[in-house]
Amino acid sequence: MNLNLSNSGGGNGNYIRFSPQANAWSNQDGEFTFEKSVFDYENLETGWMHIATGIFEFLPDNGLGQKGAQPTPDHKRGFRATFYNKTMGVAEFSANGAGANMGLEALWKQVQAQASANPNKLPVVEYKGSRPEKVGKGTTRVPLFEVVSWVARPAALSGASASDEFVEQPKPVAKPAPSKPAPSMNDDEMFS
């Protein structure tokens, strides 16, 4: 169980950001290409967020989407989500901008539409570019995601070892198990 006592996520300092102005993804190392990633939607948090130079404050909702009172005028609605792939490892995507919020909201709708058909699995999402969107008197860019498959929760997202292998969830056994073990898939097979 995670107590979530810090304002930063993941504990490893690995993060990803979408910049509507640059229409690009960045992380702690600079600009990068967003590759297919597992989205840990089960640990998604929504809340009030204040981001400014030297400031990152996230006050999570009591429950997902249960909007409380705005703490200050500087706090905007935002989210904290976790993504994983073999290249970047576990990374936090958090934002309170209109474009990122709209992109995650659209992804959430896809996930909710498919989740019941994929029990005990997490979605693999692909970034499909962005689209301009008018917001107030200005414009932003909305990152577009598509759910392309579902996989068992990777070990790296389970708080277990930081292994790059995906962990297969135990399945009910209706028949005797085969005499030889099933071959395991590596990340490249999971994301193809």
Side-chain angles (χ1 to χ4, degrees), residues 3 6 9 31 34-35 39 42 55 57 60 65 86 89 94 106 134 163 166:
L3 296 178
S6 68
E31 196 170 311
F34 188 101
E35 298 174 0
F39 170 38
E42 294 171 342
I55 299 171
E57 182 181 24
K86 185 177 173 181
S94 57
K134 186 165 178 49
S163 165
F166 288 106

Side-chain angles (χ1 to χ4, degrees), residues 7 45-50 56-62 68-72 75-78 80:
N7 284 335
E45 292 180 291
T46 55
W48 291 101
M49 188 177 290
H50 178 200
F56 178 87
E57 182 181 24
F58 180 69
L59 304 170
D61 295 333
N62 288 331
Q70 184 177 10
T72 73
H75 286 79
K76 297 179 186 176
R77 292 297 291 165
R80 183 161 54 190

Side-chain angles (χ1 to χ4, degrees), residues 15 26 39 44 59 80 87 93 99 109 129 137 149 162:
Y15 67 86
S26 63
F39 170 38
L44 173 64
L59 304 170
R80 183 161 54 190
T87 305
F93 175 31
K109 289 176 183 176
K137 295 180 180 181
S149 64

